[in-house]
Amino acid sequence: MQYRFLPSLVHAGLALIAAGAQAQSSVTIYGRLNVSLEHADAARAPRDRAVNRESNNRSVIGFRGAEDLGDGYQAVFQIEGSLALDTGAGTSLANRDTRVGLQTPYGLVFAGHWGTPYLLATSTLDPWYPTTAGYMALMANGSAPTTNHLGNIASFDRRQQNIVQYWSPTWRGLTGRVAYALNDGEIGPGGSKPDLWSASLSWDDGPWNLSLAHEQHRGYQGPGRTDTATKLGAAYRVGPARLAGAIERLRYETPLGPLTRTALFMAATWQVDRFNLRASFTDAADGKGPAGERIGFVSAGDATGARQWTLGADYTLSPRTGLYAYVSRIDNQARAAYDFAINPLGVGAGEKPTVVALGLRHAF
């Protein structure tokens, strides 16, 4: 008799567990594995820089999910970390795009560690992003895969710590994004308290994609000094072809005066059955400003510009797996020392780094 209610209790317990599970967030495990075999070298180098290597192209693993709160509201989250696919070295669980936020009928707001709107505005225009051949070698003055206000102060291609973002709903193809990275107690040059603003406006309509982005780094070069970047991007798809381009202007406020530089990027892709043929070209003009001034790869004066071209193809094995191959070369002028932003070779002024790659990518 003492056990006659046990089946009913078990049934009630299972029902409570099921109800609790339904109230939990839906979680998806995802990832990107991307590795390439490369031969890299540099023409006009005073020493032998040739190297055969296996390069990891920002492989990641992550968890994302959402919980329905009702009335069009959701709690959203994502935890993403890098994978050192080539060496297996230890990495952080959350050193890539990581956030918690609310999706509302009026847009998405979140806090965490995320790519800035400036980065995201045009990264999809580059068919080689993110690999050794990525356009960040010249565009945006390098790449900062994870940084605060004190690290990699030159780059405008950044995944920023301590950032709050708002993404608007899409209206007639228009979407706006704005972000602010808090100072968080960091002390910059001369006692400055650096922070960051970033914003973008994108329009998608049929074959067209247009984007405008602007970013400000306040106090990165010292108190009262603001570095800025502005770029305009565009892409047009017709049949199996896609043409894309972007123009960018960087401006740094140095103690000796402003240092500026413009750059132009163009890319074309052509789908032929399972092959995607790809070509891109980037031109970084001479830097303009106080003689001898340099921030990141950008230097002031004559013969400080560079050009990068990349040719290659991607072969689709399945919707999630593909093979790719490319050759990419940076032609530095006599006083320029631009290098690959991902998997750099390490070059000096006037050297011309080249990489030939064969890679495999898989998404899950």
Side-chain angles (χ1 to χ4, degrees):
M1 291 293 293
Q2 59 181 327
Y3 300 112
R4 65 179 181 177
F5 295 113
L6 184 58
S8 298
L9 289 174
V10 171
H11 179 76
L14 292 174
L16 287 173
I17 292 173
Q22 290 177 357
Q24 297 300 311
S25 303
S26 60
V27 180
T28 300
I29 301 175
Y30 69 93
R32 178 182 69 240
L33 305 177
N34 191 340
V35 67
S36 57
L37 302 179
E38 298 181 348
H39 174 78
D41 201 351
R44 299 187 181 179
R47 64 179 178 86
D48 183 9
R49 295 188 184 275
V51 59
N52 296 316
R53 64 190 185 184
E54 180 181 319
S55 291
N56 180 41
N57 295 303
R58 295 191 176 170
S59 301
V60 303
I61 186 169
F63 310 84
R64 66 165 67 99
E67 181 184 11
D68 189 2
L69 304 177
D71 297 324
Y73 290 81
Q74 285 185 323
V76 298
F77 71 91
Q78 181 169 311
I79 303 170
E80 183 180 283
S82 61
L83 295 175
L85 198 61
D86 50 346
T87 66
T91 56
S92 168
L93 174 65
N95 66 340
R96 302 289 293 180
D97 287 339
T98 299
R99 69 185 180 188
V100 62
L102 288 174
Q103 179 69 62
T104 80
Y106 312 102
L108 170 66
V109 60
F110 64 88
H113 171 232
W114 205 267
T116 64
Y118 189 88
L119 179 160
L120 299 173
T122 60
S123 60
T124 58
L125 303 183
D126 179 13
W128 310 111
Y129 193 103
T131 68
T132 304
Y135 75 164
M136 308 86 73
L138 274 63
M139 297 288 288
N141 198 4
S143 177
T146 173
T147 190
N148 56 21
H149 298 302
L150 305 180
N152 202 335
I153 62 173
S155 176
F156 281 88
D157 186 286
R158 26 193 331 118
R159 178 172 288 101
Q160 191 73 27
Q161 300 171 12
N162 302 304
I163 198 166
V164 179
Q165 299 204 31
Y166 168 74
W167 296 1
S168 77
T170 299
W171 178 76
R172 295 187 178 181
L174 282 173
T175 305
R177 298 179 179 182
V178 62
Y180 175 66
L182 287 76
N183 171 260
D184 205 47
E186 296 160 330
I187 304 300
S192 67
K193 296 182 178 181
D195 60 3
L196 176 153
W197 282 98
S198 184
S200 68
L201 183 64
S202 300
W203 179 64
D204 285 289
D205 184 38
W208 280 101
N209 173 270
L210 301 176
S211 57
L212 175 65
H214 180 76
E215 188 165 297
Q216 295 184 351
H217 299 170
R218 303 192 300 187
Y220 279 34
Q221 310 302 327
R225 299 192 178 102
T226 301
D227 302 335
T228 61
T230 305
K231 64 181 172 182
L232 177 66
Y236 181 75
R237 184 176 297 278
V238 52
R242 183 177 187 251
L243 301 176
I247 186 168
E248 174 184 68
R249 185 178 187 272
L250 306 180
R251 185 181 188 276
Y252 300 92
E253 289 190 350
T254 77
L256 300 178
L259 170 65
T260 64
R261 192 217 65 185
T262 59
L264 174 68
F265 169 77
M266 296 179 290
T269 62
W270 186 280
Q271 191 71 38
V272 182
D273 196 20
R274 293 192 174 191
F275 283 96
N276 187 263
L277 307 179
R278 304 173 173 183
S280 64
F281 173 77
T282 311
D283 179 56
D286 290 345
K288 297 181 179 180
E293 195 68 33
R294 175 174 177 172
I295 295 179
F297 294 126
V298 177
S299 299
D302 296 334
T304 58
R307 293 178 175 178
Q308 180 183 15
W309 57 266
T310 306
L311 296 172
D314 184 286
Y315 181 76
T316 299
L317 296 172
S318 77
R320 296 186 297 165
T321 305
L323 295 168
Y324 61 88
Y326 61 75
V327 55
S328 185
R329 178 183 174 95
I330 298 175
D331 290 326
N332 282 307
Q333 294 183 5
R335 297 176 55 215
Y338 287 90
D339 199 352
F340 300 115
I342 300 177
N343 307 313
L345 183 60
V347 302
E351 297 181 14
K352 301 180 182 295
T354 302
V355 61
V356 180
L358 175 63
L360 172 66
R361 57 173 176 78
H362 176 76
F364 62 88

